[in-house]
Short mmCIF file of all heavy atoms in Angstrom, two decimals:
data_model
loop_
_atom_site.label_atom_id
_atom_site.label_comp_id
_atom_site.label_asym_id
_atom_site.label_seq_id
_atom_site.Cartn_x
_atom_site.Cartn_y
_atom_site.Cartn_z
N GLU V 41 -8.86 -0.89 -8.56
CA GLU V 41 -9.00 -0.71 -7.12
C GLU V 41 -10.13 0.30 -6.84
O GLU V 41 -10.12 1.41 -7.36
CB GLU V 41 -7.69 -0.19 -6.48
CG GLU V 41 -6.56 -1.22 -6.60
CD GLU V 41 -5.25 -0.74 -5.99
OE1 GLU V 41 -5.26 -0.44 -4.77
OE2 GLU V 41 -4.27 -0.59 -6.76
N ARG V 42 -11.09 -0.11 -6.02
CA ARG V 42 -12.22 0.74 -5.69
C ARG V 42 -11.87 1.47 -4.37
O ARG V 42 -11.94 0.84 -3.32
CB ARG V 42 -13.48 -0.13 -5.57
CG ARG V 42 -14.78 0.52 -5.27
CD ARG V 42 -15.10 1.74 -6.10
NE ARG V 42 -15.60 1.49 -7.44
CZ ARG V 42 -15.76 2.47 -8.33
NH1 ARG V 42 -15.52 3.73 -8.02
NH2 ARG V 42 -16.18 2.22 -9.54
N VAL V 43 -11.41 2.67 -4.47
CA VAL V 43 -10.91 3.40 -3.28
C VAL V 43 -11.65 4.71 -3.07
O VAL V 43 -12.33 5.22 -3.98
CB VAL V 43 -9.40 3.71 -3.43
CG1 VAL V 43 -8.58 2.43 -3.39
CG2 VAL V 43 -9.14 4.45 -4.73
N ARG V 44 -11.43 5.27 -1.89
CA ARG V 44 -11.97 6.63 -1.59
C ARG V 44 -10.81 7.63 -1.74
O ARG V 44 -9.73 7.45 -1.16
CB ARG V 44 -12.49 6.63 -0.17
CG ARG V 44 -13.01 8.00 0.30
CD ARG V 44 -14.55 8.16 0.23
NE ARG V 44 -15.15 7.91 -1.07
CZ ARG V 44 -16.46 7.99 -1.36
NH1 ARG V 44 -17.30 8.35 -0.43
NH2 ARG V 44 -16.91 7.72 -2.55
N VAL V 45 -11.05 8.66 -2.52
CA VAL V 45 -10.10 9.76 -2.72
C VAL V 45 -10.49 10.85 -1.72
O VAL V 45 -11.69 11.21 -1.65
CB VAL V 45 -10.17 10.26 -4.17
CG1 VAL V 45 -9.54 11.62 -4.28
CG2 VAL V 45 -9.48 9.27 -5.09
N GLN V 46 -9.53 11.38 -0.97
CA GLN V 46 -9.81 12.39 0.03
C GLN V 46 -9.35 13.77 -0.47
O GLN V 46 -8.16 13.95 -0.72
CB GLN V 46 -9.07 12.00 1.33
CG GLN V 46 -9.19 13.03 2.45
CD GLN V 46 -10.59 13.08 3.01
OE1 GLN V 46 -11.19 12.07 3.27
NE2 GLN V 46 -11.11 14.31 3.18
N GLY V 47 -10.28 14.72 -0.61
CA GLY V 47 -9.92 16.06 -1.07
C GLY V 47 -9.39 16.92 0.08
O GLY V 47 -9.65 16.61 1.24
N SER V 48 -8.69 18.00 -0.28
CA SER V 48 -8.20 18.95 0.75
C SER V 48 -9.37 19.64 1.42
O SER V 48 -9.24 20.25 2.47
CB SER V 48 -7.30 20.01 0.13
OG SER V 48 -8.08 20.95 -0.60
N GLY V 49 -10.51 19.55 0.76
CA GLY V 49 -11.75 20.17 1.25
C GLY V 49 -12.76 20.04 0.13
O GLY V 49 -12.38 19.73 -1.01
N ARG V 50 -14.01 20.26 0.46
CA ARG V 50 -15.04 20.21 -0.57
C ARG V 50 -15.08 21.52 -1.33
O ARG V 50 -14.89 22.56 -0.73
CB ARG V 50 -16.41 19.99 0.06
CG ARG V 50 -16.47 18.87 1.00
CD ARG V 50 -17.81 18.89 1.77
NE ARG V 50 -17.80 17.90 2.81
CZ ARG V 50 -18.79 17.67 3.63
NH1 ARG V 50 -19.91 18.38 3.54
NH2 ARG V 50 -18.71 16.74 4.55
N THR V 51 -15.37 21.44 -2.60
CA THR V 51 -15.75 22.67 -3.31
C THR V 51 -17.20 22.48 -3.68
O THR V 51 -17.67 21.38 -4.03
CB THR V 51 -14.90 22.94 -4.55
OG1 THR V 51 -14.89 21.80 -5.38
CG2 THR V 51 -13.45 23.29 -4.14
N ASP V 52 -17.97 23.57 -3.63
CA ASP V 52 -19.41 23.51 -3.92
C ASP V 52 -19.70 23.36 -5.40
O ASP V 52 -18.82 23.59 -6.25
CB ASP V 52 -20.09 24.83 -3.48
CG ASP V 52 -20.38 24.78 -2.00
OD1 ASP V 52 -20.60 23.66 -1.47
OD2 ASP V 52 -20.39 25.85 -1.36
N ALA V 53 -20.94 23.01 -5.71
CA ALA V 53 -21.40 22.95 -7.12
C ALA V 53 -21.03 24.23 -7.83
O ALA V 53 -21.28 25.32 -7.34
CB ALA V 53 -22.87 22.71 -7.18
N GLY V 54 -20.37 24.13 -8.99
CA GLY V 54 -20.06 25.28 -9.79
C GLY V 54 -18.74 25.95 -9.51
O GLY V 54 -18.25 26.74 -10.31
N VAL V 55 -18.11 25.59 -8.35
CA VAL V 55 -16.79 26.17 -8.01
C VAL V 55 -15.70 25.39 -8.75
O VAL V 55 -15.77 24.18 -8.93
CB VAL V 55 -16.57 26.12 -6.48
CG1 VAL V 55 -15.15 26.55 -6.13
CG2 VAL V 55 -17.60 26.98 -5.78
N HIS V 56 -14.68 26.15 -9.24
CA HIS V 56 -13.59 25.57 -10.03
C HIS V 56 -12.32 25.34 -9.20
O HIS V 56 -12.21 25.89 -8.08
CB HIS V 56 -13.26 26.53 -11.19
CG HIS V 56 -14.44 27.06 -11.89
ND1 HIS V 56 -15.22 26.28 -12.71
CD2 HIS V 56 -14.98 28.31 -11.92
CE1 HIS V 56 -16.20 27.03 -13.20
NE2 HIS V 56 -16.08 28.27 -12.72
N ALA V 57 -11.41 24.61 -9.74
CA ALA V 57 -10.11 24.45 -9.09
C ALA V 57 -8.97 24.48 -10.11
O ALA V 57 -9.08 23.89 -11.19
CB ALA V 57 -10.06 23.12 -8.35
#
Side-chain angles (χ1 to χ4, degrees):
Chain V
E41 296 179 60
R42 182 48 77 189
V43 291
R44 177 99 306 180
V45 162
Q46 176 68 46
S48 75
R50 308 171 188 180
T51 52
D52 277 331
V55 173
H56 315 289

